[in-house]
């Protein structure tokens, strides 16, 4: 089995396993106690904190260990907003943040706060000037991920941090995807991360709060972790997380070169091997191991199941793989195709032979899924100046497939109106037009669902 979903959780690094087993014997006592066993535990905890601080590029007393990366985000956002509540009740986030940040924003807004969402370009990157434009006198906090978890695009954190610093607004950076590759650039104020993203054990998050940043913890506090993360520390997991972070950093420069070559191979060859594919995300400013592409006329869940049968573990942002049946908020914000979406995120040490086998298997797998769904053939016959396609009650990619089948049945200049009540159609039909060189006229209200109007131009 080839595991290609490291962006969700990286395999446990061998150093993490060794450190975890060793610290189970040495680090089981309460590090807050003064007797011998407690002192041993405290030494391990302090050493882990120092190692993490060195990797992050901060002071050891600025590092807090939490129970997860999500908990670190929720604690960091809530604490920073509360610490600056006298300044105002305004929060800025990007449209492609991890769900943990967006959920924090939703909770803040529900409690009476104001939230501004900064849009991204088609590659998934923010424009620093957009953050500058969003800043207000009452802005308490801004948030920006260091790199996107779905498409791998690296954000201009340094430039955004400079804009925020000039305005006196702290910037919280979600560094979950990038910290294993190197420190985060720029003069940020708060940082969060999660150990299972770099090969550490699950259940360990990092929250870094720079000295001078106003912060007020919003949960019941105790003497642990500077009062910012209550409860007994999971010391063995923390030690393993710190040890693995140091280990992956030592290997990062060399491994990044290798993974970039492999992902570039996928980015280049997939469109050559599979027709009607859109590779998404920034081609240059991206993480080494992530490449994402979307396939027209493909059900994402069916494609993932077929790839799993072939021995490949990949993930997807397609609406059909989601319990909400709505497209990935990241793909939606980028305005790219969401149907048939595949995210390949290669773990360190992956064999080049596995990537080649994936490229060998993919074309036939996609073709098989398309055939089952009745994807269109190129033959067309002109019949009417306007056609209506009733796709109500059908999930994408079926509405797009039905559009593709009939677009040739209208003359150049003619229109096709696709009736659909699937939210994904709002993204996938315009994306299809972009890929196929047709004109997306827009959407109109319908008795049921929405009418998406497409004009044939070629």
């Amino acid at each position: 089995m080839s595991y290609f979903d490291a962006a969700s959780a990286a395999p446990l690094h061998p150093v993490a396993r060794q450190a975890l087993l060793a610290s189970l014997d040495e680090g089981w006592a309460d590090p807050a106690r003064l007797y011998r066993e407690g002192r041993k535990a405290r030494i391990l905890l302090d050493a882990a904190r120092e190692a993490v601080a060195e990797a992050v590029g901060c002071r050891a007393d600025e590092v807090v260990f939490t129970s997860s990366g999500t908990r670190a985000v929720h604690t960091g956002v809530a604490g920073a907003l509360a610490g600056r509540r006298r300044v105002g009740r305004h929060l800025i986030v990007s449209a492609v943040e991890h769900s943990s940040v967006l959920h924090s924003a939703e909770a803040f807004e529900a409690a009476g706060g104001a939230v501004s969402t900064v849009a991204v370009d088609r590659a998934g990157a923010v424009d620093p000037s957009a953050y500058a434009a969003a800043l207000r006198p009452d802005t308490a906090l801004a948030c920006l991920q260091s790199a996107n978890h779905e498409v791998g695009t690296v954000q201009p954190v340094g430039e955004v941090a400079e804009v925020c610093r000039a305005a006196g607004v702290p910037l919280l950076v979600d560094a979950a995807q990038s910290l294993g590759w190197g420190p985060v650039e720029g003069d940020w104020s708060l940082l969060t991360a999660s150990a299972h993203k770099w090969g550490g054990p699950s259940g360990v998050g990092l929250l870094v709060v720079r000295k001078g940043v106003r912060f007020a913890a919003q949960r019941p506090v105790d003497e642990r972790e500077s009062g910012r993360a209550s409860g007994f520390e999971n010391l063995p997991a923390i030690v393993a997380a710190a040890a693995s972070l140091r280990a992956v950093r030592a290997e990062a420069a060399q491994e990044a070169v290798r993974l970039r070559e492999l992902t570039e191979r996928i980015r280049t060859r997939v469109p050559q091997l599979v027709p009607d594919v859109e590779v998404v995300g920034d081609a240059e400013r991206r993480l080494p191991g992530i490449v994402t592409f979307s396939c027209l006329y493909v059900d994402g869940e069916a494609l993932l199941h077929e790839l799993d049968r072939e021995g490949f573990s990949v993930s997807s942002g397609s609406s059909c793989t989601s319990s909400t049946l709505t497209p990935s908020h990241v793909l939606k914000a980028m305005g790219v195709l969401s149907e048939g979406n595949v995210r390949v995120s290669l773990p360190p040490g992956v064999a080049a032979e596995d990537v080649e086998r994936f490229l060998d298997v993919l074309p036939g797998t996609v073709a098989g899924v398309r055939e089952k769904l009745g994807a269109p053939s190129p033959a067309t016959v002109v019949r009417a100046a306007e056609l209506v396609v009733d796709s109500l009650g059908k999930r994408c990619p079926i509405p797009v497939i039905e559009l593709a089948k009939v677009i040739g049945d209208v003359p150049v200049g003619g229109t096709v109106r696709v009736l659909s009540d699937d939210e994904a159609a709002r993204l996938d039909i315009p994306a299809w037009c972009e890929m196929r060189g047709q004109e997306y006229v827009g959407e109109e209200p319908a008795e049921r669902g929405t009418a998406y109007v497409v004009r044939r131009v070629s």
Side-chain angles (χ1 to χ4, degrees):
M1 192 75 181
S2 297
Y3 181 74
F4 285 0
D5 195 23
S8 293
L12 192 67
H13 194 282
V15 169
R17 184 182 301 276
Q18 294 168 5
L20 182 64
L21 294 175
S23 57
L24 285 172
D25 293 329
E26 297 294 328
W28 52 268
D30 186 346
R33 301 306 175 195
L34 299 180
Y35 42 71
R36 180 179 302 170
E37 294 84 357
R39 294 197 303 272
K40 283 184 179 180
R42 169 57 63 179
I43 289 171
L44 289 173
L45 181 58
D46 289 346
R49 203 181 308 275
E50 290 281 356
V52 167
E54 181 182 0
V56 171
C58 66
R59 294 168 41 144
D61 58 358
E62 295 173 335
V63 176
V64 170
F65 294 110
T66 67
S67 59
S68 68
T70 294
R71 175 54 62 194
V73 167
H74 292 172
T75 300
V77 171
L81 288 170
R84 285 173 49 82
R85 58 185 174 273
R86 292 185 180 179
V87 173
R89 300 266 292 161
H90 178 233
L91 169 67
I92 302 173
V93 300
S94 86
V96 293
E97 295 299 309
H98 187 268
S99 58
S100 59
V101 175
L102 298 183
H103 291 161
S104 290
E106 290 170 4
F108 178 63
E109 194 169 33
V115 178
S116 294
T117 302
V118 175
V120 297
D121 61 21
R122 197 170 175 83
V126 302
D127 186 337
S129 65
Y131 267 78
L135 289 167
R136 305 185 333 200
D138 63 338
T139 301
L141 179 68
C143 299
L144 178 63
Q145 59 189 192
S146 57
N148 188 259
H149 49 291
E150 287 194 28
V151 300
T153 297
V154 174
Q155 300 289 1
V157 172
E159 297 170 63
V160 173
E162 185 177 345
V163 166
C164 292
R165 179 68 63 178
V169 174
L171 176 68
L172 183 149
V173 178
D174 170 17
Q177 289 296 338
S178 73
L179 194 61
W181 297 109
V184 177
E185 64 178 358
D187 195 10
W188 45 265
S189 301
L190 301 97
L191 179 143
T192 62
S194 187
H196 73 278
K197 301 291 188 180
W198 66 67
S202 59
V204 179
L206 300 181
L207 170 62
V208 179
V209 183
R210 296 282 201 190
K211 292 297 180 184
V213 175
R214 293 185 177 276
F215 191 94
Q218 293 305 286
R219 303 172 65 201
V221 301
D222 56 26
E223 71 281 3
R224 311 273 178 182
E225 296 300 306
S226 304
R228 292 171 179 167
S230 57
F232 200 102
E233 297 93 345
N234 185 351
L235 188 53
I238 288 172
V239 170
S244 58
L245 180 56
R246 175 177 285 179
V248 298
R249 280 290 191 83
E251 305 159 354
Q254 182 175 355
E255 188 63 13
V257 172
R258 200 178 71 86
L259 290 187
R260 283 190 188 280
E261 191 280 326
L262 293 175
T263 53
E264 186 60 34
R265 195 181 304 180
I266 297 172
R267 288 182 65 89
T268 302
R269 290 180 56 190
V270 165
Q272 297 171 349
L273 296 168
V274 183
D276 298 319
V277 163
E278 181 179 16
V279 180
V280 301
D282 197 293
E284 301 296 332
R285 287 180 56 87
R286 59 184 175 86
L287 291 173
I290 297 179
V291 56
T292 303
F293 56 89
S294 299
C295 309
L296 273 177
Y297 321 130
V298 168
D299 178 278
E301 185 173 8
L303 180 56
L304 262 59
H305 282 317
E306 292 303 316
L307 288 172
D308 182 54
R309 290 174 186 272
E310 296 288 347
F312 295 98
S313 302
V314 298
S315 64
S316 172
S318 290
S319 59
C320 50
T321 65
S322 166
S323 60
T324 63
L325 300 183
T326 58
S328 149
H329 72 277
V330 172
L331 301 178
K332 188 174 182 179
M334 293 167 62
V336 297
L337 183 69
S338 73
E339 67 184 56
N341 179 260
V342 175
R343 180 187 68 181
V344 174
S345 49
L346 304 176
V350 65
E353 293 78 10
D354 288 343
V355 172
E356 283 300 321
R357 192 170 70 85
F358 175 77
L359 292 170
D360 288 341
V361 164
L362 183 67
T365 305
V366 173
V369 173
R370 283 174 171 167
E371 184 178 3
K372 290 179 182 178
L373 291 173
S377 63
T380 60
V381 177
V382 175
R383 291 176 182 168
E386 179 176 274
L387 289 176
V388 176
V389 175
D390 186 350
S391 292
L392 294 169
K394 301 175 183 178
R395 290 168 48 189
C396 279
I398 299 302
V400 183
I401 289 175
E402 293 181 341
L403 165 63
K405 284 182 174 181
V406 303
I407 190 68
D409 293 350
V410 297
V412 172
T415 59
V416 177
R417 310 172 81 82
V418 182
L419 302 179
S420 177
D421 50 9
D422 182 2
E423 176 67 21
R426 181 168 280 110
L427 180 63
D428 289 348
I429 290 176
W432 179 88
C433 293
E434 176 94 11
M435 295 176 68
R436 305 299 291 183
Q438 307 298 343
E439 179 186 353
Y440 178 63
V441 178
E443 61 180 74
E444 299 176 354
E447 185 175 343
R448 288 181 55 207
T450 302
Y452 300 93
V453 183
V454 177
R455 178 175 289 111
R456 182 184 176 191
V457 297
S458 62

